[in-house]
Amino acid sequence: MEKFTLEILFHIIGIGAASGLFYQEDSLYIISDNSGFIYEYAIPTQTLNQYPLLKNALPNIPKQDKPDFESLAHFQDTLYIFGSGSTDKRNTMIAFDLKTKKKTSTNNLTDLYAVMQSFESVLPQDFNLEGVIYTSEDWYLFNRGNGSTNKNIIYTLHAQKLDQEFSLIANTYKLPKIKGVRTSFTDAIRVEDKIYFLASAEKTVNTYDDGEILGSIIGRIDIETMKIDFTKKISPTNKFEGLTLFSKTKDQIQFLLCDDKDNDVQESTIHKLTLDLK
């Protein structure tokens, strides 16, 4: 897994602070951590549509008020958009129907997030979900360890719906450092029996304030053992926060990535990452 290429694929005007991606049939669905919309970018025509997730949705919500949509999970015809849980205003999960292009439900996850924090003794100020995977029977939720305790955690909830009774287990990870700073989860997806994840290093001591970006890695976890197969540094400057499968063959896998530049510029860069599987 030593060989990889990373290239800029295109720029999208009209979306800032991109934080999650899902690719399907030449369309790229994008969420932003400071926006009340989900966006659909048609790659062949380079057109952008937006669909509201919140009442009176705005494209650039002030930091203290934003829902902080950081995670985008897909199952069948539904996208699930999660707030990070890093403040009381960031505990919302929204279901979005890909066929009707409409929000179908809104859920408050405050109680669930509190259970997850208690389960692994994570302080509220160190709780920061940045990735979610859903398989119809299990939810995998990734806590970004960029708080004071650096707890990178994958919570596995066994339940079809998050408002039902569930069983919970957790796995903690000590991810590699970049320039002396521990990397922390920023997104993840499942591809067959593997989990591919992104992690970034950022000079900050809490989950709220931004810090100097030191780079990003990609890694892979075996879903049966929950052990890391490999990690690879892919950038010394980007904070990659969105990951979606673009294509896969026997020898090669390609992902689309977005990065968060931590500013208010309404422009997002989409990268293509190619990994050799030989």
Side-chain angles (χ1 to χ4, degrees):
M1 199 65 63
E2 292 298 319
K3 294 183 179 180
F4 77 95
T5 58
L6 180 67
E7 57 188 299
I8 293 176
L9 201 59
F10 47 78
H11 299 278
I12 303 175
I13 306 299
I15 310 171
S19 56
L21 300 174
F22 173 66
Y23 173 76
Q24 183 182 70
E25 297 176 352
D26 287 331
S27 283
L28 188 62
Y29 294 87
I30 307 165
I31 56 170
S32 162
D33 68 20
N34 64 2
S35 175
F37 295 93
I38 184 170
Y39 301 87
E40 180 187 9
Y41 183 74
I43 296 175
T45 59
Q46 300 180 10
T47 54
L48 182 67
N49 291 311
Q50 61 183 31
Y51 309 103
L53 300 175
L54 305 172
K55 185 178 180 180
N56 301 319
L58 297 172
N60 195 0
I61 302 170
K63 186 169 185 173
Q64 68 273 14
D65 299 320
K66 69 180 185 178
D68 203 31
F69 293 133
E70 290 282 2
S71 304
L72 184 61
H74 166 253
F75 182 73
Q76 294 181 343
D77 294 322
T78 303
L79 295 177
Y80 299 91
I81 299 105
F82 286 74
S84 67
S86 55
T87 73
D88 291 342
K89 295 183 178 181
R90 302 176 177 183
N91 296 336
T92 300
M93 187 271 275
I94 291 173
F96 178 83
D97 188 275
L98 286 166
K99 288 187 174 180
T100 64
K101 308 297 172 82
K102 291 182 179 180
K103 175 180 68 174
T104 57
S105 65
T106 300
N107 297 271
N108 187 320
L109 300 184
T110 298
D111 292 343
L112 174 62
Y113 285 179
V115 170
M116 293 167 65
Q117 292 168 28
S118 176
F119 188 79
E120 270 298 299
S121 300
V122 176
L123 298 173
Q125 60 267 30
D126 289 338
F127 189 75
N128 186 20
L129 295 182
E130 294 265 345
V132 177
I133 296 169
Y134 178 44
T135 67
S136 82
E137 294 183 347
D138 295 296
W139 299 82
Y140 299 86
L141 299 99
F142 293 71
N143 186 69
R144 184 181 180 194
N146 62 331
S148 59
T149 54
N150 293 124
K151 281 197 172 184
N152 284 295
I153 306 167
I154 301 178
Y155 295 93
T156 305
L157 280 71
H158 183 67
Q160 290 187 338
K161 295 183 179 180
L162 291 177
D163 58 358
Q164 297 177 345
E165 184 176 339
F166 60 85
S167 62
L168 176 64
I169 61 173
N171 293 275
T172 59
Y173 296 87
K174 197 169 186 178
L175 300 179
K177 291 182 178 180
I178 298 177
K179 297 181 180 178
V181 176
R182 185 78 59 191
T183 56
S184 51
F185 289 129
T186 54
D187 204 2
I189 60 169
R190 179 177 177 174
V191 181
E192 298 171 353
D193 60 347
K194 303 291 185 180
I195 291 172
Y196 288 84
F197 67 86
L198 294 172
S200 295
E202 186 175 4
K203 274 192 176 181
T204 182
V205 295
N206 60 63
T207 63
Y208 187 82
D209 295 315
D210 298 322
E212 180 187 356
I213 298 166
L214 302 175
S216 296
I217 67 170
I218 192 166
R220 191 176 71 189
I221 294 171
D222 184 279
I223 207 161
E224 292 297 324
T225 65
M226 295 303 287
K227 301 293 186 182
I228 294 177
D229 289 339
F230 77 91
T231 60
K232 183 71 175 178
K233 183 179 175 181
I234 55 174
S235 171
T237 55
N238 297 88
K239 183 172 75 170
F240 289 119
E241 290 203 2
L243 176 69
T244 186
L245 180 66
F246 190 51
S247 69
K248 184 179 185 298
T249 64
K250 179 182 176 181
D251 298 326
Q252 193 178 80
I253 188 167
Q254 292 185 325
F255 301 100
L256 301 183
L257 285 64
C258 63
D259 62 339
D260 186 356
K261 296 180 173 61
D262 291 332
N263 58 40
D264 293 328
V265 178
Q266 295 296 293
E267 180 180 350
S268 295
T269 302
I270 305 301
H271 298 75
K272 183 172 72 174
L273 174 68
T274 302
L275 295 177
D276 286 345
L277 298 177
K278 298 176 183 179

